[in-house]
Amino acid sequence: MAPTTDLSDELLRRLADDLVRVDGVVAVALGGSRARGTHGPSSDYDLGVYSEPDRLDLAALGGVARAWAQEDVRIARPGEWGPWVDGGAWLTVHGRAVDWILRDVQRVAEQCRRAQAGEFGFHTQPGHPLGFLDVSYAGEVAIGHPLADPSGWLASRQRSVDPYPAALRRALVAHTWQVDFLLGAARKGAARGDAAYVALCCSQAAMFCAHGWHARAGVWVVNEKGSSQGSIVSASSWPASAGPSTACSGASGRPRTSCSRRWSGCRRCSASRSAG
């Protein structure tokens, strides 16, 4: 059964205070769906643990985890979960899932600078089918709710990326030029009956549309989950010209099964992203 009691703000702040006492930890923020206010009753608590990896005391971090979880918790060291998701830990605190996600303060500061300059890239990372959007680090800073920030480092970074950088908005919208290219390739694949290739092209096209839509609305995307279904922003927040967010999955939200239907749905997605 899913827990019915949320963790209080006061409890989360106490946990964050314990974390920033660990050597190398600079700041802690609540992120994810709970920071956006889009969480459900069983949503995890994602805590961004901003740290200096060369100074980070992993043993002390493990001690804090053990004290709060009342059991041994394995701490994944920086880089253990991949080049971008980095490391952290999965805890259960008072029956609720609490995820610690390590973030290197130098890399985060660099991605905040790149977001301001309109620079971005997608990188291979387990668990991210499209690829990890590097300036998601800046997005996490922008949407996060600081729980402990004794030096003011996090507040300073937030001011640099909130509101949404105009240069990044332009760059991500311009990046949707690839949608037409991908859908042209998908059309050729559909003619051959190559369903897997068509699905790959259309899913990538849909995600590029979603990134462009959100950028144009000035809304950060920090994870692919839900971004093409409009779960990150409400329907009223979408630009009127963007069209329905279900264009690439069908009005019911269920994936279309034939190559031709995938092509037709994504073509409408392409048409909507070029309007406005």
Side-chain angles (χ1 to χ4, degrees):
M1 186 192 315
T4 57
T5 304
D6 286 344
L7 302 181
S8 68
D9 292 344
E10 190 273 335
L11 183 145
L12 290 172
R13 283 193 292 270
R14 285 197 289 114
L15 170 54
D17 286 342
D18 285 352
L19 284 168
V20 294
R21 293 189 187 100
V22 173
D23 192 31
V25 176
V26 175
V28 178
L30 176 67
S33 62
R34 290 190 176 273
R36 289 190 185 275
T38 59
H39 59 282
S42 61
S43 295
D44 296 350
Y45 289 80
D46 294 330
L47 300 187
V49 181
Y50 294 91
S51 63
E52 299 172 341
D54 293 342
R55 293 182 50 235
L56 186 59
D57 187 337
L58 292 173
L61 204 59
V64 173
R66 189 180 309 110
W68 279 89
Q70 296 296 297
E71 62 181 357
D72 288 336
V73 177
R74 185 176 180 279
I75 307 295
R77 65 182 59 252
E80 191 170 335
W81 287 348
W84 289 94
V85 175
D86 222 3
W90 296 311
L91 292 73
T92 301
V93 176
H94 294 187
R96 306 307 302 254
V98 178
D99 299 343
W100 293 356
I101 304 169
L102 299 179
R103 287 289 184 256
D104 180 334
V105 292
Q106 290 189 352
R107 295 183 72 189
V108 171
E110 171 62 10
Q111 294 308 323
C112 288
R113 182 202 65 77
R114 294 184 73 244
Q116 288 177 291
E119 302 170 3
F120 68 91
F122 293 92
H123 306 269
T124 299
Q125 167 65 46
H128 289 259
L130 180 65
F132 189 91
L133 177 62
D134 48 21
V135 293
S136 292
Y137 282 1
E140 291 171 346
V141 167
I143 69 173
H145 292 179
L147 296 172
D149 185 25
S151 69
W153 178 90
L154 187 56
S156 177
R157 300 288 85 72
Q158 282 188 320
R159 287 192 293 271
S160 74
V161 291
D162 187 18
Y164 195 100
L168 184 61
R169 177 186 292 112
R170 291 191 296 269
L172 281 167
V173 170
H175 186 68
T176 59
W177 71 266
Q178 290 198 47
V179 173
D180 287 327
F181 181 83
L182 286 163
L183 296 180
R187 188 174 193 176
K188 294 176 182 177
R192 299 191 302 269
D194 191 345
Y197 181 73
V198 171
L200 286 170
C201 288
C202 288
S203 61
Q204 191 172 52
M207 293 307 303
F208 286 157
C209 281
H211 278 287
W213 286 336
H214 284 84
R216 192 164 57 185
V219 176
W220 288 97
V221 175
V222 297
N223 192 297
E224 296 118 327
K225 291 184 290 187
S227 60
S228 65
Q229 296 176 328
S231 65
I232 294 179
V233 293
S234 66
S236 62
S237 300
W238 291 91
S241 60
S245 61
T246 55
C248 293
S249 60
S252 67
R254 295 188 296 272
R256 300 181 187 273
T257 56
S258 72
C259 288
S260 61
R261 288 191 176 184
R262 289 192 184 101
W263 157 252
S264 297
C266 278
R267 191 63 197 178
R268 288 194 295 276
C269 178
S270 177
S272 68
R273 66 95 192 172
S274 62

mmCIF file of all heavy atoms in Angstrom, residues 190-243:
data_model
loop_
_atom_site.group_PDB
_atom_site.id
_atom_site.type_symbol
_atom_site.label_atom_id
_atom_site.label_comp_id
_atom_site.label_asym_id
_atom_site.label_seq_id
_atom_site.Cartn_x
_atom_site.Cartn_y
_atom_site.Cartn_z
ATOM 1 N N ALA A 190 8.682 3.591 -43.224
ATOM 2 C CA ALA A 190 7.318 3.087 -43.256
ATOM 3 C C ALA A 190 7.041 2.364 -44.564
ATOM 4 O O ALA A 190 6.350 1.338 -44.596
ATOM 5 C CB ALA A 190 6.336 4.241 -43.064
ATOM 6 N N ALA A 191 7.598 2.898 -45.644
ATOM 7 C CA ALA A 191 7.389 2.258 -46.946
ATOM 8 C C ALA A 191 8.022 0.873 -46.986
ATOM 9 O O ALA A 191 7.563 -0.008 -47.723
ATOM 10 C CB ALA A 191 7.976 3.136 -48.050
ATOM 11 N N ARG A 192 9.070 0.681 -46.210
ATOM 12 C CA ARG A 192 9.735 -0.631 -46.142
ATOM 13 C C ARG A 192 9.135 -1.536 -45.079
ATOM 14 O O ARG A 192 9.540 -2.686 -44.934
ATOM 15 C CB ARG A 192 11.233 -0.456 -45.840
ATOM 16 C CG ARG A 192 12.017 0.333 -46.867
ATOM 17 C CD ARG A 192 13.510 0.196 -46.594
ATOM 18 N NE ARG A 192 13.859 0.639 -45.257
ATOM 19 C CZ ARG A 192 14.216 1.881 -44.932
ATOM 20 N NH1 ARG A 192 14.228 2.814 -45.875
ATOM 21 N NH2 ARG A 192 14.542 2.189 -43.695
ATOM 22 N N GLY A 193 8.212 -0.989 -44.271
ATOM 23 C CA GLY A 193 7.644 -1.768 -43.170
ATOM 24 C C GLY A 193 8.592 -1.926 -42.006
ATOM 25 O O GLY A 193 8.457 -2.848 -41.207
ATOM 26 N N ASP A 194 9.560 -1.004 -41.882
ATOM 27 C CA ASP A 194 10.576 -1.080 -40.824
ATOM 28 C C ASP A 194 10.051 -0.379 -39.578
ATOM 29 O O ASP A 194 10.368 0.778 -39.304
ATOM 30 C CB ASP A 194 11.865 -0.432 -41.326
ATOM 31 C CG ASP A 194 13.051 -0.685 -40.401
ATOM 32 O OD1 ASP A 194 12.825 -1.111 -39.248
ATOM 33 O OD2 ASP A 194 14.202 -0.446 -40.845
ATOM 34 N N ALA A 195 9.244 -1.109 -38.812
ATOM 35 C CA ALA A 195 8.525 -0.509 -37.682
ATOM 36 C C ALA A 195 9.466 0.019 -36.614
ATOM 37 O O ALA A 195 9.221 1.094 -36.039
ATOM 38 C CB ALA A 195 7.571 -1.534 -37.074
ATOM 39 N N ALA A 196 10.547 -0.708 -36.323
ATOM 40 C CA ALA A 196 11.455 -0.275 -35.269
ATOM 41 C C ALA A 196 12.124 1.046 -35.635
ATOM 42 O O ALA A 196 12.228 1.961 -34.807
ATOM 43 C CB ALA A 196 12.514 -1.340 -35.008
ATOM 44 N N TYR A 197 12.551 1.170 -36.886
ATOM 45 C CA TYR A 197 13.206 2.400 -37.329
ATOM 46 C C TYR A 197 12.230 3.571 -37.300
ATOM 47 O O TYR A 197 12.578 4.674 -36.867
ATOM 48 C CB TYR A 197 13.771 2.207 -38.738
ATOM 49 C CG TYR A 197 14.495 3.414 -39.288
ATOM 50 C CD1 TYR A 197 15.743 3.776 -38.802
ATOM 51 C CD2 TYR A 197 13.919 4.190 -40.292
ATOM 52 C CE1 TYR A 197 16.406 4.885 -39.294
ATOM 53 C CE2 TYR A 197 14.573 5.308 -40.793
ATOM 54 C CZ TYR A 197 15.819 5.648 -40.295
ATOM 55 O OH TYR A 197 16.469 6.746 -40.791
ATOM 56 N N VAL A 198 11.010 3.336 -37.749
ATOM 57 C CA VAL A 198 9.995 4.379 -37.729
ATOM 58 C C VAL A 198 9.725 4.822 -36.291
ATOM 59 O O VAL A 198 9.624 6.021 -36.000
ATOM 60 C CB VAL A 198 8.697 3.887 -38.392
ATOM 61 C CG1 VAL A 198 7.561 4.892 -38.163
ATOM 62 C CG2 VAL A 198 8.910 3.669 -39.881
ATOM 63 N N ALA A 199 9.618 3.855 -35.380
ATOM 64 C CA ALA A 199 9.355 4.191 -33.977
ATOM 65 C C ALA A 199 10.481 5.043 -33.395
ATOM 66 O O ALA A 199 10.224 6.015 -32.670
ATOM 67 C CB ALA A 199 9.169 2.919 -33.159
ATOM 68 N N LEU A 200 11.727 4.686 -33.726
ATOM 69 C CA LEU A 200 12.858 5.461 -33.223
ATOM 70 C C LEU A 200 12.842 6.885 -33.762
ATOM 71 O O LEU A 200 13.041 7.853 -33.025
ATOM 72 C CB LEU A 200 14.176 4.767 -33.596
ATOM 73 C CG LEU A 200 14.530 3.515 -32.802
ATOM 74 C CD1 LEU A 200 15.719 2.793 -33.439
ATOM 75 C CD2 LEU A 200 14.864 3.874 -31.355
ATOM 76 N N CYS A 201 12.616 7.015 -35.058
ATOM 77 C CA CYS A 201 12.575 8.350 -35.658
ATOM 78 C C CYS A 201 11.454 9.192 -35.070
ATOM 79 O O CYS A 201 11.647 10.366 -34.727
ATOM 80 C CB CYS A 201 12.387 8.239 -37.177
ATOM 81 S SG CYS A 201 13.834 7.642 -38.080
ATOM 82 N N CYS A 202 10.279 8.585 -34.948
ATOM 83 C CA CYS A 202 9.126 9.343 -34.467
ATOM 84 C C CYS A 202 9.242 9.686 -32.986
ATOM 85 O O CYS A 202 8.845 10.785 -32.569
ATOM 86 C CB CYS A 202 7.840 8.570 -34.736
ATOM 87 S SG CYS A 202 7.384 8.531 -36.489
ATOM 88 N N SER A 203 9.789 8.782 -32.189
ATOM 89 C CA SER A 203 9.934 9.090 -30.765
ATOM 90 C C SER A 203 10.941 10.213 -30.571
ATOM 91 O O SER A 203 10.723 11.120 -29.755
ATOM 92 C CB SER A 203 10.341 7.845 -29.978
ATOM 93 O OG SER A 203 11.597 7.346 -30.421
ATOM 94 N N GLN A 204 12.028 10.193 -31.346
ATOM 95 C CA GLN A 204 13.006 11.273 -31.228
ATOM 96 C C GLN A 204 12.395 12.591 -31.711
ATOM 97 O O GLN A 204 12.582 13.638 -31.089
ATOM 98 C CB GLN A 204 14.272 10.942 -32.022
ATOM 99 C CG GLN A 204 15.419 11.885 -31.728
ATOM 100 C CD GLN A 204 16.710 11.427 -32.381
ATOM 101 O OE1 GLN A 204 16.747 11.159 -33.584
ATOM 102 N NE2 GLN A 204 17.768 11.348 -31.597
ATOM 103 N N ALA A 205 11.638 12.533 -32.805
ATOM 104 C CA ALA A 205 10.975 13.738 -33.306
ATOM 105 C C ALA A 205 10.008 14.296 -32.270
ATOM 106 O O ALA A 205 9.948 15.516 -32.040
ATOM 107 C CB ALA A 205 10.237 13.431 -34.609
ATOM 108 N N ALA A 206 9.257 13.414 -31.636
ATOM 109 C CA ALA A 206 8.302 13.860 -30.623
ATOM 110 C C ALA A 206 9.014 14.535 -29.457
ATOM 111 O O ALA A 206 8.556 15.563 -28.938
ATOM 112 C CB ALA A 206 7.476 12.675 -30.120
ATOM 113 N N MET A 207 10.154 13.974 -29.036
ATOM 114 C CA MET A 207 10.879 14.558 -27.918
ATOM 115 C C MET A 207 11.475 15.909 -28.281
ATOM 116 O O MET A 207 11.487 16.839 -27.462
ATOM 117 C CB MET A 207 11.973 13.605 -27.446
ATOM 118 C CG MET A 207 11.463 12.320 -26.810
ATOM 119 S SD MET A 207 10.277 12.610 -25.484
ATOM 120 C CE MET A 207 11.226 13.667 -24.395
ATOM 121 N N PHE A 208 11.969 16.053 -29.514
ATOM 122 C CA PHE A 208 12.492 17.358 -29.931
ATOM 123 C C PHE A 208 11.365 18.395 -29.970
ATOM 124 O O PHE A 208 11.561 19.559 -29.621
ATOM 125 C CB PHE A 208 13.174 17.259 -31.296
ATOM 126 C CG PHE A 208 14.511 16.569 -31.256
ATOM 127 C CD1 PHE A 208 15.035 15.976 -32.396
ATOM 128 C CD2 PHE A 208 15.259 16.514 -30.089
ATOM 129 C CE1 PHE A 208 16.276 15.345 -32.361
ATOM 130 C CE2 PHE A 208 16.486 15.884 -30.041
ATOM 131 C CZ PHE A 208 17.001 15.293 -31.188
ATOM 132 N N CYS A 209 10.164 17.953 -30.432
ATOM 133 C CA CYS A 209 9.003 18.839 -30.383
ATOM 134 C C CYS A 209 8.716 19.266 -28.947
ATOM 135 O O CYS A 209 8.481 20.451 -28.669
ATOM 136 C CB CYS A 209 7.770 18.136 -30.945
ATOM 137 S SG CYS A 209 7.664 18.050 -32.740
ATOM 138 N N ALA A 210 8.737 18.306 -28.034
ATOM 139 C CA ALA A 210 8.420 18.600 -26.637
ATOM 140 C C ALA A 210 9.423 19.590 -26.048
ATOM 141 O O ALA A 210 9.041 20.526 -25.332
ATOM 142 C CB ALA A 210 8.401 17.309 -25.819
ATOM 143 N N HIS A 211 10.697 19.391 -26.341
ATOM 144 C CA HIS A 211 11.706 20.330 -25.836
ATOM 145 C C HIS A 211 11.470 21.726 -26.402
ATOM 146 O O HIS A 211 11.589 22.730 -25.687
ATOM 147 C CB HIS A 211 13.112 19.831 -26.186
ATOM 148 C CG HIS A 211 13.636 18.798 -25.242
ATOM 149 N ND1 HIS A 211 14.040 19.103 -23.963
ATOM 150 C CD2 HIS A 211 13.824 17.461 -25.385
ATOM 151 C CE1 HIS A 211 14.461 18.000 -23.347
ATOM 152 N NE2 HIS A 211 14.335 16.991 -24.187
ATOM 153 N N GLY A 212 11.139 21.787 -27.694
ATOM 154 C CA GLY A 212 10.867 23.088 -28.300
ATOM 155 C C GLY A 212 9.644 23.752 -27.718
ATOM 156 O O GLY A 212 9.645 24.956 -27.433
ATOM 157 N N TRP A 213 8.571 22.976 -27.519
ATOM 158 C CA TRP A 213 7.335 23.514 -26.956
ATOM 159 C C TRP A 213 7.588 24.094 -25.561
ATOM 160 O O TRP A 213 7.157 25.195 -25.246
ATOM 161 C CB TRP A 213 6.277 22.425 -26.852
ATOM 162 C CG TRP A 213 5.653 22.028 -28.150
ATOM 163 C CD1 TRP A 213 5.562 22.788 -29.279
ATOM 164 C CD2 TRP A 213 5.022 20.781 -28.437
ATOM 165 N NE1 TRP A 213 4.912 22.082 -30.259
ATOM 166 C CE2 TRP A 213 4.575 20.848 -29.774
ATOM 167 C CE3 TRP A 213 4.808 19.625 -27.706
ATOM 168 C CZ2 TRP A 213 3.917 19.792 -30.383
ATOM 169 C CZ3 TRP A 213 4.148 18.565 -28.310
ATOM 170 C CH2 TRP A 213 3.706 18.652 -29.639
ATOM 171 N N HIS A 214 8.257 23.300 -24.732
ATOM 172 C CA HIS A 214 8.496 23.752 -23.365
ATOM 173 C C HIS A 214 9.410 24.972 -23.336
ATOM 174 O O HIS A 214 9.192 25.901 -22.551
ATOM 175 C CB HIS A 214 9.086 22.613 -22.532
ATOM 176 C CG HIS A 214 8.084 21.587 -22.122
ATOM 177 N ND1 HIS A 214 7.699 20.543 -22.932
ATOM 178 C CD2 HIS A 214 7.359 21.458 -20.988
ATOM 179 C CE1 HIS A 214 6.789 19.807 -22.311
ATOM 180 N NE2 HIS A 214 6.564 20.335 -21.134
ATOM 181 N N ALA A 215 10.421 24.970 -24.189
ATOM 182 C CA ALA A 215 11.320 26.125 -24.232
ATOM 183 C C ALA A 215 10.559 27.384 -24.623
ATOM 184 O O ALA A 215 10.739 28.455 -24.038
ATOM 185 C CB ALA A 215 12.472 25.869 -25.204
ATOM 186 N N ARG A 216 9.687 27.247 -25.622
ATOM 187 C CA ARG A 216 8.914 28.413 -26.071
ATOM 188 C C ARG A 216 7.999 28.909 -24.964
ATOM 189 O O ARG A 216 7.725 30.109 -24.857
ATOM 190 C CB ARG A 216 8.109 28.050 -27.316
ATOM 191 C CG ARG A 216 7.520 29.268 -28.009
ATOM 192 C CD ARG A 216 7.076 28.961 -29.422
ATOM 193 N NE ARG A 216 6.119 27.879 -29.490
ATOM 194 C CZ ARG A 216 5.644 27.367 -30.625
ATOM 195 N NH1 ARG A 216 6.094 27.828 -31.781
ATOM 196 N NH2 ARG A 216 4.764 26.393 -30.614
ATOM 197 N N ALA A 217 7.542 27.996 -24.099
ATOM 198 C CA ALA A 217 6.701 28.392 -22.966
ATOM 199 C C ALA A 217 7.531 28.837 -21.773
ATOM 200 O O ALA A 217 6.973 29.263 -20.757
ATOM 201 C CB ALA A 217 5.799 27.224 -22.560
ATOM 202 N N GLY A 218 8.880 28.727 -21.878
ATOM 203 C CA GLY A 218 9.744 29.116 -20.771
ATOM 204 C C GLY A 218 9.679 28.157 -19.603
ATOM 205 O O GLY A 218 9.822 28.554 -18.442
ATOM 206 N N VAL A 219 9.480 26.862 -19.904
ATOM 207 C CA VAL A 219 9.353 25.839 -18.871
ATOM 208 C C VAL A 219 10.498 24.841 -19.015
ATOM 209 O O VAL A 219 10.736 24.307 -20.099
ATOM 210 C CB VAL A 219 7.997 25.108 -18.978
ATOM 211 C CG1 VAL A 219 7.904 23.978 -17.963
ATOM 212 C CG2 VAL A 219 6.859 26.093 -18.783
ATOM 213 N N TRP A 220 11.190 24.575 -17.921
ATOM 214 C CA TRP A 220 12.337 23.672 -17.953
ATOM 215 C C TRP A 220 11.901 22.212 -18.091
ATOM 216 O O TRP A 220 10.948 21.777 -17.445
ATOM 217 C CB TRP A 220 13.165 23.802 -16.683
ATOM 218 C CG TRP A 220 13.938 25.074 -16.586
ATOM 219 C CD1 TRP A 220 13.580 26.212 -15.917
ATOM 220 C CD2 TRP A 220 15.207 25.340 -17.176
ATOM 221 N NE1 TRP A 220 14.553 27.161 -16.067
ATOM 222 C CE2 TRP A 220 15.565 26.662 -16.824
ATOM 223 C CE3 TRP A 220 16.089 24.589 -17.972
ATOM 224 C CZ2 TRP A 220 16.756 27.251 -17.231
ATOM 225 C CZ3 TRP A 220 17.275 25.171 -18.384
ATOM 226 C CH2 TRP A 220 17.601 26.490 -18.016
ATOM 227 N N VAL A 221 12.613 21.455 -18.919
ATOM 228 C CA VAL A 221 12.473 20.001 -18.990
ATOM 229 C C VAL A 221 13.756 19.403 -18.420
ATOM 230 O O VAL A 221 14.838 19.658 -18.943
ATOM 231 C CB VAL A 221 12.273 19.518 -20.438
ATOM 232 C CG1 VAL A 221 12.262 17.992 -20.499
ATOM 233 C CG2 VAL A 221 10.978 20.064 -21.017
ATOM 234 N N VAL A 222 13.641 18.643 -17.360
ATOM 235 C CA VAL A 222 14.829 18.040 -16.753
ATOM 236 C C VAL A 222 14.824 16.523 -16.880
ATOM 237 O O VAL A 222 15.740 15.851 -16.408
ATOM 238 C CB VAL A 222 14.970 18.456 -15.270
ATOM 239 C CG1 VAL A 222 15.164 19.964 -15.160
ATOM 240 C CG2 VAL A 222 13.773 18.011 -14.448
ATOM 241 N N ASN A 223 13.787 15.981 -17.505
ATOM 242 C CA ASN A 223 13.689 14.536 -17.699
ATOM 243 C C ASN A 223 12.692 14.287 -18.821
ATOM 244 O O ASN A 223 11.721 15.032 -18.971
ATOM 245 C CB ASN A 223 13.211 13.862 -16.399
ATOM 246 C CG ASN A 223 13.364 12.362 -16.426
ATOM 247 O OD1 ASN A 223 12.744 11.682 -17.234
ATOM 248 N ND2 ASN A 223 14.193 11.838 -15.536
ATOM 249 N N GLU A 224 12.936 13.232 -19.610
ATOM 250 C CA GLU A 224 12.020 12.956 -20.714
ATOM 251 C C GLU A 224 10.635 12.513 -20.247
ATOM 252 O O GLU A 224 9.655 12.692 -20.965
ATOM 253 C CB GLU A 224 12.584 11.835 -21.606
ATOM 254 C CG GLU A 224 13.872 12.171 -22.300
ATOM 255 C CD GLU A 224 15.009 11.257 -21.875
ATOM 256 O OE1 GLU A 224 15.012 10.840 -20.689
ATOM 257 O OE2 GLU A 224 15.875 10.971 -22.692
ATOM 258 N N LYS A 225 10.546 11.942 -19.055
ATOM 259 C CA LYS A 225 9.282 11.368 -18.601
ATOM 260 C C LYS A 225 8.166 12.408 -18.572
ATOM 261 O O LYS A 225 8.284 13.433 -17.917
ATOM 262 C CB LYS A 225 9.455 10.754 -17.202
ATOM 263 C CG LYS A 225 10.324 9.519 -17.179
ATOM 264 C CD LYS A 225 10.386 8.881 -15.810
ATOM 265 C CE LYS A 225 11.156 9.714 -14.823
ATOM 266 N NZ LYS A 225 11.350 9.014 -13.518
ATOM 267 N N GLY A 226 7.102 12.121 -19.308
ATOM 268 C CA GLY A 226 5.931 12.976 -19.291
ATOM 269 C C GLY A 226 6.023 14.219 -20.145
ATOM 270 O O GLY A 226 5.027 14.907 -20.334
ATOM 271 N N SER A 227 7.202 14.514 -20.700
ATOM 272 C CA SER A 227 7.358 15.801 -21.383
ATOM 273 C C SER A 227 6.570 15.874 -22.684
ATOM 274 O O SER A 227 6.134 16.954 -23.087
ATOM 275 C CB SER A 227 8.833 16.074 -21.672
ATOM 276 O OG SER A 227 9.390 15.073 -22.496
ATOM 277 N N SER A 228 6.356 14.741 -23.355
ATOM 278 C CA SER A 228 5.605 14.777 -24.612
ATOM 279 C C SER A 228 4.110 14.589 -24.395
ATOM 280 O O SER A 228 3.338 14.642 -25.346
ATOM 281 C CB SER A 228 6.111 13.687 -25.576
ATOM 282 O OG SER A 228 5.850 12.398 -25.052
ATOM 283 N N GLN A 229 3.693 14.387 -23.142
ATOM 284 C CA GLN A 229 2.274 14.209 -22.843
ATOM 285 C C GLN A 229 1.688 15.425 -22.141
ATOM 286 O O GLN A 229 0.543 15.399 -21.699
ATOM 287 C CB GLN A 229 2.080 12.973 -21.958
ATOM 288 C CG GLN A 229 2.491 11.687 -22.659
ATOM 289 C CD GLN A 229 2.376 10.487 -21.744
ATOM 290 O OE1 GLN A 229 2.565 10.606 -20.530
ATOM 291 N NE2 GLN A 229 2.068 9.345 -22.302
ATOM 292 N N GLY A 230 2.485 16.495 -22.009
ATOM 293 C CA GLY A 230 1.975 17.702 -21.377
ATOM 294 C C GLY A 230 1.825 17.595 -19.881
ATOM 295 O O GLY A 230 1.135 18.401 -19.276
ATOM 296 N N SER A 231 2.492 16.611 -19.238
ATOM 297 C CA SER A 231 2.334 16.480 -17.790
ATOM 298 C C SER A 231 3.208 17.459 -17.029
ATOM 299 O O SER A 231 3.018 17.656 -15.835
ATOM 300 C CB SER A 231 2.663 15.046 -17.352
ATOM 301 O OG SER A 231 4.017 14.741 -17.584
ATOM 302 N N ILE A 232 4.166 18.088 -17.712
ATOM 303 C CA ILE A 232 5.026 19.040 -17.019
ATOM 304 C C ILE A 232 4.356 20.402 -16.947
ATOM 305 O O ILE A 232 4.428 21.105 -15.956
ATOM 306 C CB ILE A 232 6.400 19.138 -17.710
ATOM 307 C CG1 ILE A 232 7.148 17.802 -17.561
ATOM 308 C CG2 ILE A 232 7.240 20.257 -17.129
ATOM 309 C CD1 ILE A 232 8.495 17.782 -18.235
ATOM 310 N N VAL A 233 3.701 20.795 -18.025
ATOM 311 C CA VAL A 233 2.958 22.053 -18.003
ATOM 312 C C VAL A 233 1.504 21.750 -18.317
ATOM 313 O O VAL A 233 1.185 20.819 -19.026
ATOM 314 C CB VAL A 233 3.517 23.058 -19.032
ATOM 315 C CG1 VAL A 233 4.892 23.510 -18.640
ATOM 316 C CG2 VAL A 233 3.532 22.487 -20.435
ATOM 317 N N SER A 234 0.615 22.559 -17.777
ATOM 318 C CA SER A 234 -0.802 22.349 -18.023
ATOM 319 C C SER A 234 -1.143 22.731 -19.449
ATOM 320 O O SER A 234 -0.409 23.448 -20.118
ATOM 321 C CB SER A 234 -1.625 23.207 -17.056
ATOM 322 O OG SER A 234 -1.418 24.579 -17.339
ATOM 323 N N ALA A 235 -2.280 22.249 -19.910
ATOM 324 C CA ALA A 235 -2.688 22.531 -21.288
ATOM 325 C C ALA A 235 -2.788 24.029 -21.536
ATOM 326 O O ALA A 235 -2.473 24.512 -22.623
ATOM 327 C CB ALA A 235 -4.036 21.863 -21.571
ATOM 328 N N SER A 236 -3.174 24.783 -20.523
ATOM 329 C CA SER A 236 -3.311 26.226 -20.700
ATOM 330 C C SER A 236 -1.974 26.915 -20.870
ATOM 331 O O SER A 236 -1.914 28.056 -21.320
ATOM 332 C CB SER A 236 -4.046 26.830 -19.494
ATOM 333 O OG SER A 236 -3.308 26.617 -18.308
ATOM 334 N N SER A 237 -0.870 26.224 -20.491
ATOM 335 C CA SER A 237 0.453 26.824 -20.605
ATOM 336 C C SER A 237 1.071 26.606 -21.964
ATOM 337 O O SER A 237 2.070 27.239 -22.292
ATOM 338 C CB SER A 237 1.383 26.248 -19.527
ATOM 339 O OG SER A 237 0.882 26.521 -18.242
ATOM 340 N N TRP A 238 0.531 25.663 -22.758
ATOM 341 C CA TRP A 238 1.100 25.401 -24.069
ATOM 342 C C TRP A 238 0.774 26.549 -25.014
ATOM 343 O O TRP A 238 -0.333 27.080 -24.988
ATOM 344 C CB TRP A 238 0.527 24.107 -24.665
ATOM 345 C CG TRP A 238 0.968 22.892 -23.963
ATOM 346 C CD1 TRP A 238 0.348 22.289 -22.917
ATOM 347 C CD2 TRP A 238 2.129 22.108 -24.236
ATOM 348 N NE1 TRP A 238 1.051 21.197 -22.519
ATOM 349 C CE2 TRP A 238 2.143 21.052 -23.313
ATOM 350 C CE3 TRP A 238 3.160 22.207 -25.174
ATOM 351 C CZ2 TRP A 238 3.152 20.102 -23.291
ATOM 352 C CZ3 TRP A 238 4.163 21.256 -25.154
ATOM 353 C CH2 TRP A 238 4.161 20.222 -24.232
ATOM 354 N N PRO A 239 1.717 26.933 -25.887
ATOM 355 C CA PRO A 239 1.403 27.928 -26.909
ATOM 356 C C PRO A 239 0.227 27.443 -27.748
ATOM 357 O O PRO A 239 0.118 26.256 -28.068
ATOM 358 C CB PRO A 239 2.688 27.997 -27.742
ATOM 359 C CG PRO A 239 3.759 27.492 -26.826
ATOM 360 C CD PRO A 239 3.097 26.465 -25.959
ATOM 361 N N ALA A 240 -0.684 28.322 -28.103
ATOM 362 C CA ALA A 240 -1.894 27.921 -28.820
ATOM 363 C C ALA A 240 -1.562 27.226 -30.124
ATOM 364 O O ALA A 240 -2.281 26.329 -30.566
ATOM 365 C CB ALA A 240 -2.766 29.149 -29.083
ATOM 366 N N SER A 241 -0.432 27.611 -30.756
ATOM 367 C CA SER A 241 -0.079 27.030 -32.047
ATOM 368 C C SER A 241 0.543 25.660 -31.929
ATOM 369 O O SER A 241 0.776 24.993 -32.933
ATOM 370 C CB SER A 241 0.892 27.957 -32.784
ATOM 371 O OG SER A 241 2.068 28.125 -32.015
ATOM 372 N N ALA A 242 0.838 25.233 -30.691
ATOM 373 C CA ALA A 242 1.578 23.981 -30.543
ATOM 374 C C ALA A 242 0.719 22.763 -30.831
ATOM 375 O O ALA A 242 1.234 21.690 -31.116
ATOM 376 C CB ALA A 242 2.151 23.876 -29.131
ATOM 377 N N GLY A 243 -0.590 22.892 -30.721
ATOM 378 C CA GLY A 243 -1.451 21.755 -31.006
ATOM 379 C C GLY A 243 -1.484 20.776 -29.850
ATOM 380 O O GLY A 243 -0.860 20.979 -28.816
#
